[in-house]
Amino acid sequence: MKVLVIGGGGREHALVWALRKSEQVTEILCAPGNGGIAQLARCIPVGPGNLHEMVNLVAVEQPNLTIVGPELPLSVGLVDELTKRGHRVFGPTQAAAKLETSKAFAKEFMQRHDIPTAAYALCTTLDEVREELTRFTVPVVVKASGLAAGKGVVICETHLQAEEAAAQMFSGVLLGTQETEVVIEEFLTGEELSFFALCDGTHAIEIASAQDHKRIGEGDTGPNTGGMGAYSTDGIATPAMRQWLLRNVAQRVVDGMNSKGSPFKGILFVGIMMTPRGPMVLEFNTRFGDPETEAILLRLETDILDLFNASIDGTANELIIRMRAGASVSIIAASGGYPVKYASGKPIAGLSASSSKDVVVFHSGTTIKDGQLVTAGGRVLAIAAVAPDLRGALDKAYAEIAKISFDGMQYRRDIGHRALE
Ligand code: AMP
Ligand code: GLY
């Protein structure tokens, strides 16, 4: 069977790597892919925002299955377009992906369906922001409603700062595009958890949970990034908590979207804050997380194709997802200057040719230039490892990353540390 993966980051490298292990898969294509994915799949230079070119690619290549990795192609309706043309595709429709692409939609949805989340106000003008802010204590959180690649959340220490952040979102100064809706949100504290469920329009089943490390600096300091590392362990959430999240968040999402006439199929990634008042949803994503996926897929024992098929065919309730016991981690090696300004095209040294079953170097932003592997993004590599416990997984991943170098390379040395303490 011929499979096409849309996207070109570490998450897609991990998806391609997992697909390679499936005996049912005979050929893998990836668009656009990257320097690492090119070793496992035929890469085709089609950008994940170009709907027309992606649809054309599928028409020409006729894959038996297309898997959509990032949010951008979901937001432009790739799943809808491919389904309309009779192609088999994994991921949510444009309407279902609104859970991620519109925070305004997600907050209203959560309120209507009794899903615990921070108190909020939705504002479309700066006057509304000023008025609503009087109801919130500080710190207060200001969020752009639309997709913002991790840059759309500002935690503000004063109302004035919140007003300024909102003004910059409306004017386009902050994100490059003018935001029409801004969400003001109560500030929550606690440990964060990324909970992943597989949904088939009717059922939600648990895949795994992980914890991302969003800030650039050790000890969770400095600006937010796309994610600098993640870990996943058996004990990251208690069985009772996992049951609760599945029932009171994921299944409610599936039921709620069903009743709206927009059944949710694909990956539901719930960002949760474990507050003293109980778990509260920070956000929904409607795709695999990056770098959580690199850590989680290392532990997946079930054929990943079975997950995609169950979601498309509405049979997730019959699927048992087996995860290897223990722990896994992913550590991002990023370009110097990321997440602000960074250079690309730096030669990468020290990648060992042989990847073991327990340590895999996934490529997030690399390309081949004149026969040489070079950096091509802010996040460059995701070094993932699995072991019977977290300490062991971290040791393996850090031993591997120590061999790798490129000009300006930076990584956090404290991934998973809070869990070790
Ligand atoms: P989001 O894109 O909504 O997940 O937000 C990105 C990050 O901002 C989260 O992972 C949290 O670390 C932080 N954040 C978002 N919302 C809140 C909130 N209401 N209170 C505290 N921190 C938040
Ligand atoms: N790890 C966060 C994200 O994928 O959005």
Side-chain angles (χ1 to χ4, degrees), residues 200-227:
D200 68 1
T202 312
H203 319 96
I205 64 167
E206 180 189 16
I207 302 174
S209 294
Q211 192 180 90
D212 188 7
H213 296 60
K214 288 215 165 77
R215 306 289 200 96
I216 186 74
E218 281 159 24
D220 295 320
T221 53
N224 261 344
T225 68

Side-chain angles (χ1 to χ4, degrees), residues 21 296-302 304 307 321-323:
K21 296 198 295 181
I296 285 172
L297 292 190
L298 231 56
R299 300 182 64 200
L300 181 69
E301 288 180 333
T302 306
I304 196 165
L307 274 66
I321 298 178
R322 287 183 316 278
M323 302 293 292

Side-chain angles (χ1 to χ4, degrees), residues 262-274:
S262 304
F264 187 88
K265 290 184 171 205
I267 299 295
L268 180 69
F269 158 178
V270 190
I272 297 152
M273 187 81 91
M274 295 293 181

Side-chain angles (χ1 to χ4, degrees), residues 166-210:
Q168 290 182 348
M169 287 177 188
F170 285 131
S171 72
V173 171
L174 194 70
L175 302 167
T177 52
Q178 292 180 350
E179 202 46 60
T180 53
E181 292 172 309
V182 163
V183 174
I184 311 287
E185 203 175 89
E186 166 197 15
F187 178 75
L188 301 174
T189 55
E191 284 286 310
E192 287 186 44
L193 189 75
S194 303
F195 179 83
F196 292 89
L198 180 76
C199 305
D200 68 1
T202 312
H203 319 96
I205 64 167
E206 180 189 16
I207 302 174
S209 294

Side-chain angles (χ1 to χ4, degrees), residues 79-136:
V79 171
D80 310 58
E81 289 302 319
L82 294 182
T83 307
K84 214 160 57 187
R85 289 167 172 76
H87 301 292
R88 206 170 153 78
V89 53
F90 173 78
T93 60
Q94 190 175 31
K98 273 187 93 175
L99 285 167
E100 170 164 6
T101 59
S102 167
K103 287 198 195 288
F105 175 87
K107 293 298 281 192
E108 275 167 6
F109 179 89
M110 284 190 268
Q111 200 170 44
R112 189 155 355 102
H113 296 280
D114 250 340
I115 296 171
T117 187
Y120 77 103
L122 178 62
C123 305
T124 54
T125 66
L126 206 51
D127 280 339
E128 270 173 35
V129 171
R130 282 192 201 101
E131 195 183 312
E132 293 292 348
L133 275 173
T134 60
R135 300 197 294 116
F136 289 84

